[in-house]
């Protein structure tokens, strides 16, 4: 069976959950082989092995941290060509999509973005037009390059002892054209990563600027916090937490929208959530049309009461 | 300095969007407009032009006949000139074919220092064209930019990544994709609307760009849509009105669904 390459998404060897999802999908189509670029492989090794990476290509080079995506695309193209891989899976993040785009050009291959599922024949499922349609597609030329959204699949344990192959890559002049001169890591919130979380509680303009009830409910549920663009534009919550067309796309088991009207651009970022719960004081708010459960009421009383009840039930 | 802004004509997202019989986006049956996310790129180009001397802004689109509406909007906002690449053979082109056409058009426009684009189209939304274009032209590219400045032959960009806020420097020529955080696009003024009528719009076909029609269009796409299915409407859920116990009932629902 041919290898299916999975680009490891990590911070200093801390592997993100999406990578484990990609390894699980890769196992359907071939032999999962991880591609680890940058430093910290020692910290990643066991996690990758535990999720089925029978092979790991490791490229250590300072360029990955100093420059934008091109060195990563060049390394991945090098490995994709030399390994004869049958497909390449990359996380659907802004960076992942740029890497995939460049890789597709380098390999002369078709690319599919934002897959929510990948089948054994590497055909994909996508959700398009703000979740209004489901599209099945496949790459027909070259080595399929596919970016996959978080939460596409539940990562499955599949113990393997990775065979490691260190790869040296000679970068081109194009690799060093966009230099990262400063990087300020975001302060940790202690909450799950928004795109990976299985529960998301979001607040909008209806919070009136007070996100405390939203955060308290999120913490009671072990959830991530999200926000509408209105709340972000008003400076109430950081942009990194915006859900929607120009923010993050989330697809959690449970999405709870409080004080959010449900504009199409917001729906584009959360429509594929499994269960949707709404709290809004306007019974005519469009978001109720997609709710599995809704409360018409003031979030400033409904959310704290729900939080207290949840704490009580948890004991 | 010459800035090209890439603009796309897309179906209105607030209207009913669907697919044509060949599984391509239906562009005939729905009103179109300039992709809202490209307005931020046009605005940013105009701001750079207004702050500097001798900066020229050219709006470029690849699209069907109606796509000139997107160019018109860019000209009304303040772009100085426009180029429309239109050719029947382009129907159904994938992102890479589109990037190849854009690269050829940028070459023909000539002496381009900076290409500005939106962060994604509001229809396909792949976000891959800027990176593909950079790969083809072998220029620097920075995506997802929330703050931009140009001085001399250097662009400095700031962006909020997933895990960090980054500052990036790149030499010109470069391609920069901007987010909706970067500025507040202007509405065309009456003066702008009148002035746009006299601005030059060039129309090029594939032959003008020395491109082989066999390398673009639906038939030359490197991926294929096998099936398009309308997602069933979500079944109507239960909505209760808070009568003092809304929070408790919400918690009960969550407990029933095993979220607690
Ligand atoms: C190009 C473009 C991109 C965009 N991208 C995004 C995006 O990524 N994400 C996004 O979210 N939006 C996006 N938008 C904006 C979008 O169109 C809406 O303006 C935005 O989603 C509205 O946010 P909101 O629902 O919080 O505010 P509103 O629409 O003002 O709704 C507030 C809701 O709160 C309710 N409410 C008020 N007070 C209370 C209370 N005390 N208790 C309970 N409910 C209350 C109201 O009934 C109302 O339904 C984009 C727009 C454009 C043009």
């Amino acid at each position: 069976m041919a290898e299916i390459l999975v680009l490891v998404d990590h911070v200093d060897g801390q592997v993100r959950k999406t990578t484990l999802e990609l390894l699980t999908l890769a196992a359907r189509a071939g032999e999962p082989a991880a591609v680890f670029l940058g430093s910290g492989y020692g910290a990643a090794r066991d996690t990758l092995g535990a999720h089925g990476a029978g092979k790991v290509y490791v490229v250590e080079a300072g360029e990955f941290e100093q420059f934008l995506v091109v060195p990563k695309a060049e390394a991945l193209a090098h490995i994709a060509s030399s390994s004869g891989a049958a497909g390449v899976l990359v996380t659907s993040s802004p960076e992942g999509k740029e890497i995939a785009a460049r890789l597709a050009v380098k390999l002369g291959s078709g690319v599919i973005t934002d897959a929510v599922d990948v089948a054994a024949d590497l055909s994909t499922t996508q959700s398009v037009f703000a979740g209004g349609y489901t599209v099945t597609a496949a790459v027909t030329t070259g080595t399929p390059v596919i970016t996959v959204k978080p939460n596409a699949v539940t990562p499955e344990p599949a113990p393997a002892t990775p065979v490691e192959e260190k790869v040296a890559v000679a970068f081109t002049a194009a690799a060093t054209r966009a230099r990262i001169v400063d990087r300020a890591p975001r302060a940790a919130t202690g909450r799950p990563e928004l795109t990976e979380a299985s529960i998301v509680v979001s607040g909008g303009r209806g919070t009136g600027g007070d996100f405390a009830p939203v955060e308290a409910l999120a913490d009671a549920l072990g959830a991530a916090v999200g926000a509408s663009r209105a709340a972000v534009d008003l400076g109430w919550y950081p942009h990194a937490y915006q859900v929607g067309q120009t923010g993050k796309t989330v697809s959690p088991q449970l999405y709870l929208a409080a004080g959010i009207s449900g504009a199409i651009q917001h729906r584009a970022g959360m429509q594929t959530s499994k269960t949707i719960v709404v709290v809004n004081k306007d019974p005519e708010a469009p978001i109720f049309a997609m709710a599995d459960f809704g409360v018409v009421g003031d979030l400033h009383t409904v959310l704290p009461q729900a939080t207290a009840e949840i704490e009580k039930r948890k004991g | 300095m010459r800035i090209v802004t890439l603009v796309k004509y897309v179906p209105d997202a607030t209207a009913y969007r669907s697919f044509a019989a060949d599984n391509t986006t239906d562009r005939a049956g729905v009103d179109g407009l300039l992709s809202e996310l490209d307005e931020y790129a046009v605005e940013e180009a105009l701001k750079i032009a207004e702050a500097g001397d001798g900066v020229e802004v050219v709006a470029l689109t690849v699209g069907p006949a109606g796509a000139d509406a997107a160019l018109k909007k860019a000209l009304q906002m303040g772009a100085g000139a426009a180029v429309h690449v239109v050719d029947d053979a382009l129907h159904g082109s994938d992102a890479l074919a589109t990037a190849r056409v854009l690269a050829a058009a940028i070459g023909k426009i000539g002496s381009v220092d900076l290409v500005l684009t939106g962060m994604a189209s509001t229809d396909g939304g792949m976000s891959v064209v800027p990176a593909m274009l950079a790969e083809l032209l072998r220029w620097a590219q920075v995506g997802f930019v929330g703050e931009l400045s140009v001085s001399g032959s250097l662009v400095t960009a700031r962006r909020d990544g997933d895990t960090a806020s980054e500052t990036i420097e790149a030499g010109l020529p470069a391609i920069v994709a901007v987010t909706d955080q970067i500025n507040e696009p202007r509405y065309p003024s009456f003066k702008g609307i009148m002035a746009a009528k006299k601005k030059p719009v060039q129309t090029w076909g594939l032959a003008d760009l020395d491109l082989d029609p066999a390398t673009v269009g639906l038939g030359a796409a490197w991926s294929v849509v096998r099936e398009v299915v309308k997602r069933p409407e979500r079944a109507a859920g239960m909505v209760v009105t808070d009568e003092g116990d809304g929070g408790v009932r919400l918690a009960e629902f969550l407990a029933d669904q095993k979220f607690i």
Side-chain angles (χ1 to χ4, degrees):
Chain A
M1 246 198 311
E3 288 177 3
I4 306 293
L5 300 182
V6 168
L7 178 62
V8 178
D9 192 0
H10 71 98
V11 178
D12 298 329
Q14 294 300 317
V15 179
R16 301 178 76 174
K17 192 176 117 208
T18 48
T19 298
L20 311 181
E21 295 164 2
L22 296 188
L23 287 170
T24 299
L25 291 173
R28 293 179 181 172
E31 306 209 341
V35 176
F36 187 95
L37 308 178
S39 56
Y41 173 61
R45 185 181 186 280
D46 291 350
T47 315
L48 297 174
H51 291 85
K55 178 98 168 254
V56 185
Y57 297 94
V58 181
V59 188
E60 283 168 343
E63 280 85 349
F64 298 128
E65 272 98 44
Q66 288 169 290
F67 302 97
L68 289 191
V69 305
V70 189
K72 290 183 183 166
E74 290 189 355
L76 198 50
H78 176 90
I79 293 164
S81 309
S82 62
S83 66
V88 183
L89 305 184
V90 180
T91 304
S92 236
S93 58
E95 176 181 272
K97 287 200 204 181
E98 285 180 7
I99 294 171
R102 287 181 177 269
L103 181 65
V105 176
K106 288 180 190 296
L107 297 179
S109 298
V111 57
I112 289 175
T113 58
D114 295 322
V116 294
D117 200 10
V118 180
D121 63 353
L122 292 177
S123 65
T124 60
T125 308
Q126 292 158 289
S127 174
V128 307
F129 289 164
Y133 285 85
T134 302
V135 167
T136 315
V139 168
T140 50
T141 300
T143 309
V145 177
I146 301 168
T147 78
V148 184
K149 285 196 173 182
N151 286 339
V153 70
T154 306
E156 279 159 25
T161 308
V163 177
E164 289 156 25
E165 190 175 322
K166 280 218 166 36
V167 182
V169 180
F171 298 111
T172 71
T176 55
R177 296 223 164 102
R179 178 187 296 272
I180 301 169
V181 291
D182 185 50
R183 182 182 269 138
R186 199 180 315 294
T189 61
R191 298 194 180 94
E193 164 71 29
L194 179 55
T195 54
E196 299 174 359
S198 52
I199 303 181
V200 175
V201 181
S202 288
R205 197 195 299 271
T207 60
D210 179 11
F211 263 67
V214 173
E215 292 185 331
L217 179 56
D219 291 342
L221 290 167
V225 172
S228 73
R229 185 168 109 170
V232 170
D233 283 354
L234 287 159
W236 298 345
Y237 226 69
H239 180 239
Y241 300 92
Q242 180 178 316
V243 172
Q245 183 188 54
T246 54
K248 301 275 157 41
T249 307
V250 299
S251 196
Q253 294 298 321
L254 170 64
Y255 187 83
L256 197 150
I260 293 176
S261 62
I264 180 124
Q265 295 91 352
H266 188 79
R267 297 204 308 265
M270 44 68 73
Q271 191 133 11
T272 54
S273 304
K274 307 292 175 300
T275 299
I276 296 174
V277 171
V278 169
V279 179
N280 194 302
K281 69 177 185 190
D282 174 10
E284 304 295 323
I287 188 117
F288 276 117
M290 54 196 310
D292 295 288
F293 185 81
V295 179
V296 179
D298 188 334
L299 71 90
H300 294 103
T301 53
V302 174
L303 297 196
Q305 190 182 69
T307 305
E309 180 69 18
I310 291 164
E311 298 293 3
K312 197 170 95 196
R313 283 171 184 253
K314 285 201 300 195
Chain B
M1 177 157 116
R2 185 173 285 163
I3 304 176
V4 168
T5 64
L6 305 185
V7 295
K8 187 175 183 189
Y9 181 71
V10 297
D12 185 350
T14 59
Y16 176 73
R17 295 180 291 181
S18 65
F19 288 85
D22 63 356
N23 283 341
T24 60
T25 303
D26 180 7
R27 299 180 191 280
V30 53
D31 284 343
L33 42 71
L34 166 61
S35 176
E36 276 168 322
L37 297 176
D38 293 341
E39 289 184 19
Y40 297 90
V42 174
E43 177 66 35
E44 199 59 21
L46 297 175
K47 283 171 75 172
I48 295 168
E50 284 159 2
D53 273 337
V55 182
E56 203 187 327
V57 178
V58 182
L60 166 63
T61 195
V62 175
D68 56 355
L71 294 177
K72 193 166 144 194
K73 174 86 182 268
L75 292 173
Q76 291 176 342
M77 286 175 73
V83 175
H84 186 181
V85 182
V86 52
D87 200 303
D88 287 344
L90 286 167
H91 173 79
S93 292
D94 63 6
L96 184 55
T98 305
R100 271 199 229 102
V101 176
L102 288 168
I106 287 164
K108 188 172 162 78
I109 290 169
S111 313
V112 176
D113 303 290
L114 179 62
V115 172
L116 290 175
T117 79
M119 60 181 276
S121 60
T122 59
D123 55 351
M126 292 178 76
S127 291
V128 292
V129 165
M132 286 179 165
L133 190 57
E135 188 67 32
L136 293 169
L137 294 171
R138 305 198 74 73
W139 291 6
Q141 193 248 337
V142 191
F144 219 66
V145 170
E147 245 176 78
L148 180 67
S149 64
V150 183
S151 86
S153 61
L154 202 68
V155 292
T156 305
R158 200 194 53 74
R159 64 176 192 179
D160 284 326
D162 260 2
T163 53
S165 175
E166 296 169 332
T167 307
I168 294 130
E169 276 179 7
L172 296 176
I175 299 167
V176 176
V178 304
T179 71
D180 59 341
Q181 299 286 302
I182 198 163
N183 57 40
E184 197 53 59
R186 67 193 69 186
Y187 289 102
S189 65
F190 179 71
K191 216 175 118 211
I193 292 171
M194 296 314 286
K197 296 186 175 159
K198 298 195 201 72
K199 290 177 178 168
V201 180
Q202 306 223 39
T203 305
W204 295 340
L206 289 173
D208 297 308
L209 298 173
D210 290 325
L211 289 172
D212 178 359
T215 61
V216 300
L218 194 56
W222 287 357
S223 58
V224 61
V225 170
R226 288 194 179 147
E227 196 186 24
V228 173
V229 182
K230 193 164 168 26
R231 199 181 157 92
E233 299 291 326
R234 293 184 85 99
M238 180 158 74
V239 177
V240 302
T241 300
D242 178 30
E243 282 160 356
D245 61 348
V248 172
R249 297 185 69 178
L250 174 54
E252 274 165 7
F253 173 82
L254 297 180
D256 285 349
Q257 303 288 317
K258 310 258 181 300
F259 288 119
I260 302 172

